[in-house]
Amino acid sequence: MRIVKRVGGWLYDRSRISPIVQALLSHKIPPEVGRSRKGWFYVFGQALVFLFLFQVVTGTGLAMAYVPAPAFAWDSLRYLNEEVFWGAFLRALHFFGASAMILLTFVHLSRVFLTGSYKFPRELNWMSGVILLFLVLAMAFTGQLLRWDQDGVWTVMVAAQFAGRTPLVGEYLMQLILAGETLGGGTLTRFFALHVVILPLLILVVMGFHIYLVFQNGISEPPRAGRPVDKESYRAWYAKLVREGGSTHWPDAAWRELVFVAFVLLAVFAFALTLGPQGPGPAPDPTALEADPRPDWYFRWYYALIWLKPRVLDEVVLVWFPIFLGLSLLALPILFPDGERAPSRRPWAVFAVGMALLFWGTLTAFGLRPHWVPNFETEPLPAEQLEGASAGAREGAQVFFDRGCQFCHQVHGHGGIYGPDLTAATRRMPPEEITIRTMIGVRDMPAYYEVLTSEEMDRIVAYLRWAAGGDE
Amino acid sequence: MGAPDGADPVHDRVDPGGRGPLGDSPCPPSAFGRRRFFHWLSLSVAGLLATLVAIPWVGFVLSPVLRVAAPTWRLVGPVEDFPLDETVKVTYFDSEPHPWAGFAAETAAWLRRESEEEFVAFATYCSHVGCPIRWEEGPRLFMCPCHGGAFYADGSVAAGPPPRPLDRYPVRIRDGNVEIQAVGVTAQRG
């Protein structure tokens, strides 16, 4: 015991660490953050630091078994899932750790925005935070891609197409993403280097700067209506507030942070244990075209947005919207550096967060069950349902299935939902109109005049008449 | 790391010489002295070293853009293997098939024989945001699983959000064989 004390004392003395420890232990915080329930709004940043370290730990484990070559990456993930001791569990922890990190990044951002904490003198806190947001999203994107299954391969292709639309430099950006002019041997290793070395190092540096700023500028005090930020007097006022408040970060705020971190880690473990690792999905074969790629949950909203936006706005939503969003987030503290911080005095700020949440929720809901996707798995109408139909209607049912009408149209509950349900179509419009619409096409309905013979068309109409319950 | 009391000991220091961090210099203020010389020398050398390290790294990272690949023709099969007016998937090695690329060394095209001598090869990715498109023989459409884009047999847009027809690859017939040129991915220009 004494030897431990002696070695410890020697290290403490020779490392000259005492001033740093003292500064950390006596770091003053606003009394409300330390001693009121409002302190629970100030725990998210710390949880993100812990989650980053958690991702580094689980990630270094995975890097020991992952083979970043396009030929073997998928197999090495299956090996991790099936053969390696706790390999599947580690993969699950890394996935749900990442999910928690993305979620909390936005919670943290919203909290700082709502309490106006980005205002003077904490402009750089906010701006470095926005850069961290970009880096976290880049990690999420590259991580999804390293799963190198069908989704992973087509994620690269989709990313390349997005980048390709950028004015002037589009083609070069695309070649940088693909590491050549097409998907190949160089593509995966570059993303591996980004995800495992470059982006984590950048996060470490920017996060260090971010935390340093939190210490130097102090944790922002919970806002109060009618107490605007004034650039002339704020620093002196804040210094007096924390000096006289008597709250220190350790342990007044630290205990709450640790309780929250424990809760987050428990949730990550619970999800990992119950749901297991994510993928890998089908083999990463770019020539297997019966593929159905979808982004992970955190990018689903954007996937839905691409469909739901007006078509003429392609360029705006795919290229300019992300650039605009990023730049306006960065510029926020420059545009609104002082004034009221309380949410009750900033209705537009509350409105913006509410709208963002509403948009995100709605778009995600659409993205999770996209109605604009043809149903390639649809089955023909079962024979027992065709009981009593005439020969013409039966043949019509077969044509309806064979010619792919059923990819997009339902009849009696069978088929896709891209186009309208045609069960009662003949009651809505005369057969001639059905024929014309099918042959010439309307909006998202292709023209079939080169595909369907007029006999086939007649049989489809007979089938639809039967489906509507009419005589044929 | 100290308490944020508003005072900043470095930047708020009164510096009568107005010479910033060199204010403590024993040299007379007017002279371009030894310390000032080493100050700028060190900064310049450090900057030069950083640039020297950065140049090869940046060049290396940008190399995919700087490289110009020679056109490569890939044989996809004898002419008689492709029935008239049918659209089939052909797979072939891309222009740089590395041994470690596995699946990714290969690429595909939709090949359609239009007449005895005429073939058309379409890209297998959608012109909208690049998802894989499949040929469905029943409706004679290319269909995309992402945003419901569809193309007719000639590659023109039939439905959905795609802004332009499917990309086409150069095809030629050599000694009774169909050959496709392995070319890069292209995107809608911004």
Side-chain angles (χ1 to χ4, degrees):
Chain A
M1 210 51 232
R2 208 152 36 142
I3 184 81
V4 175
K5 215 171 171 184
R6 278 189 63 180
V7 172
W10 184 86
L11 282 172
Y12 191 77
D13 175 75
R14 300 303 195 276
S15 59
R16 315 276 325 241
I17 204 169
S18 136
I20 294 171
V21 172
Q22 286 308 315
L24 288 175
L25 287 181
S26 63
H27 181 70
K28 298 270 199 298
I29 58 170
E32 274 185 298
V33 176
R35 301 214 193 95
S36 82
R37 285 196 192 148
K38 285 180 185 167
W40 288 108
F41 286 111
Y42 293 75
V43 296
F44 307 120
Q46 182 72 283
L48 282 164
V49 176
F50 270 80
L51 275 172
F52 174 71
L53 298 177
F54 179 77
Q55 290 302 91
V56 169
V57 171
T58 50
T60 46
L62 295 176
M64 291 179 192
Y66 182 76
V67 183
F72 306 114
W74 188 69
D75 292 303
S76 72
L77 287 176
R78 284 162 57 90
Y79 177 71
L80 260 167
N81 268 6
E82 288 156 19
E83 307 278 336
V84 181
F85 180 65
W86 281 357
F89 186 49
L90 206 63
R91 284 198 63 231
L93 286 177
H94 198 65
F95 174 75
F96 288 105
S99 296
M101 202 162 170
I102 296 159
L103 200 69
L104 283 175
T105 301
F106 282 100
V107 172
H108 184 53
L109 176 99
S110 307
R111 200 284 291 163
V112 171
F113 178 66
L114 283 174
T115 57
S117 305
Y118 58 85
K119 290 176 187 287
F120 177 88
R122 301 186 182 82
E123 295 99 326
L124 272 183
N125 295 39
W126 172 270
M127 291 161 107
S128 57
V130 172
I131 289 169
L132 283 170
L133 166 72
F134 297 154
L135 290 172
V136 165
L137 290 180
M139 283 299 272
F141 181 80
T142 50
Q144 172 190 300
L145 195 153
L146 289 190
R147 211 186 297 129
W148 207 243
D149 49 9
Q150 212 166 59
D151 283 353
V153 166
W154 288 102
T155 298
V156 185
M157 283 295 280
V158 170
Q161 291 282 328
F162 268 67
R165 284 178 180 246
T166 314
L168 302 175
V169 292
E171 199 181 339
Y172 303 125
L173 281 180
M174 194 164 77
Q175 289 172 357
L176 273 183
I177 286 175
L178 295 170
E181 45 178 33
T182 177
L183 193 82
T187 313
L188 186 58
T189 38
R190 286 170 77 101
F191 279 108
F192 182 75
L194 268 178
H195 186 81
V196 175
V197 183
I198 298 172
L199 291 174
L201 277 179
L202 285 175
I203 290 185
L204 206 62
V205 170
V206 182
M207 195 175 74
F209 181 59
H210 192 70
I211 297 170
Y212 160 84
L213 287 173
V214 172
F215 268 95
Q216 290 294 61
N217 288 323
I219 293 177
S220 73
E221 79 287 357
R224 189 168 296 162
R227 198 174 63 197
V229 173
D230 170 48
K231 281 189 188 175
E232 297 301 314
S233 59
Y234 180 83
R235 274 196 163 132
W237 177 84
Y238 180 83
K240 188 163 174 284
L241 175 79
V242 294
R243 195 168 55 236
E244 292 171 0
S247 263
T248 48
H249 177 262
W250 184 271
D252 294 337
W255 76 269
R256 275 197 198 85
E257 292 167 358
L258 283 170
V259 168
F260 185 68
V261 166
F263 165 75
V264 170
L265 282 192
L266 270 178
V268 168
F269 269 73
F271 272 106
L273 280 172
T274 48
L275 296 175
Q278 177 90 341
D285 183 354
T287 68
L289 301 170
E290 309 269 294
D292 201 6
R294 290 282 180 277
D296 281 351
W297 69 266
Y298 36 83
F299 289 129
R300 274 298 167 97
W301 68 275
Y302 194 53
Y303 161 68
L305 177 67
I306 293 170
W307 163 263
L308 290 164
K309 65 169 175 38
R311 297 234 168 112
V312 290
L313 296 184
D314 251 11
E315 214 59 41
V316 177
V317 170
L318 298 183
V319 181
W320 297 113
F321 167 70
I323 293 175
F324 170 78
L325 209 63
L327 286 182
S328 45
L329 273 177
L330 270 177
L332 182 78
I334 305 296
L335 298 175
F336 307 102
D338 49 15
E340 285 283 352
R341 286 183 49 207
S344 59
R345 296 286 172 93
R346 293 163 55 234
W348 285 107
V350 181
F351 179 74
V353 173
M355 285 308 278
L357 204 63
L358 193 70
F359 264 70
W360 178 81
T362 314
L363 289 173
T364 303
F366 271 110
L368 289 174
R369 194 173 171 276
H371 62 78
W372 54 83
V373 171
N375 180 0
F376 295 112
E377 269 80 53
T378 184
E379 302 275 339
L381 204 62
E384 49 285 13
Q385 264 186 275
L386 279 164
E387 205 82 42
S390 70
R394 278 166 191 271
E395 281 172 35
Q398 193 60 44
V399 175
F400 194 78
F401 177 78
D402 289 342
R403 291 302 191 183
C405 309
Q406 230 173 283
F407 287 147
C408 302
H409 294 286
Q410 276 196 336
V411 169
H412 287 306
H414 284 258
I417 51 173
Y418 189 1
D421 187 322
L422 298 182
T423 310
T426 55
R427 280 191 232 144
R428 288 198 300 267
M429 59 182 85
E432 295 76 25
E433 195 177 337
I434 294 180
T435 303
I436 290 170
R437 286 187 176 213
T438 308
M439 288 305 192
I440 300 176
V442 277
R443 193 173 146 84
D444 279 347
M445 165 82 188
Y448 275 81
Y449 65 91
E450 282 186 333
V451 177
L452 289 173
T453 62
S454 59
E455 294 80 44
E456 282 179 321
M457 190 63 234
D458 291 345
R459 291 194 182 115
I460 288 175
V461 170
Y463 170 56
L464 292 179
R465 285 184 154 184
W466 167 82
D471 49 313
E472 295 138 29
Chain B
M1 290 282 174
D5 53 18
D8 188 331
V10 176
H11 297 98
D12 295 351
R13 186 176 55 190
V14 181
D15 183 3
R19 278 166 283 122
L22 298 177
D24 300 334
S25 168
C27 297
S30 58
F32 186 81
R34 179 185 151 83
R35 281 170 61 87
R36 183 155 287 235
F37 170 73
F38 280 123
H39 171 75
W40 287 110
L41 182 74
S42 303
L43 281 184
S44 317
V45 170
L48 196 71
L49 291 178
T51 316
L52 270 179
V53 177
I55 287 172
W57 188 84
V58 170
F60 173 81
V61 170
L62 294 184
S63 61
V65 174
L66 307 172
R67 192 174 51 220
V68 181
T72 318
W73 290 90
R74 298 287 186 207
L75 192 147
V76 294
V79 171
E80 59 268 22
D81 279 9
F82 301 98
L84 206 63
D85 204 32
E86 264 188 36
T87 303
V88 292
K89 185 178 81 176
V90 290
T91 60
Y92 50 94
F93 283 115
D94 62 31
S95 52
E96 280 186 296
H98 297 296
W100 59 87
F103 286 121
E106 280 199 282
T107 187
W110 289 110
L111 184 67
R112 188 161 80 99
R113 185 171 189 179
E114 299 214 295
S115 70
E116 281 306 310
E117 293 292 311
E118 279 175 298
F119 284 82
V120 196
F122 296 106
T124 54
Y125 53 87
C126 186
S127 63
H128 180 221
V129 288
C131 286
I133 48 145
R134 56 182 94 191
W135 170 252
E136 292 288 347
E137 189 56 47
R140 296 180 63 73
L141 289 171
F142 292 105
M143 300 182 94
C144 176
C146 286
H147 298 97
F151 304 85
Y152 292 117
D154 65 354
S156 58
V157 179
R164 57 178 181 139
L166 287 176
D167 282 337
R168 292 179 180 217
Y169 298 142
V171 197
R172 70 180 185 191
I173 298 173
R174 276 284 163 95
D175 310 324
N177 287 314
V178 183
E179 292 182 350
I180 295 183
Q181 192 180 346
V183 296
V185 177
T186 57
Q188 171 82 3
R189 288 297 160 75

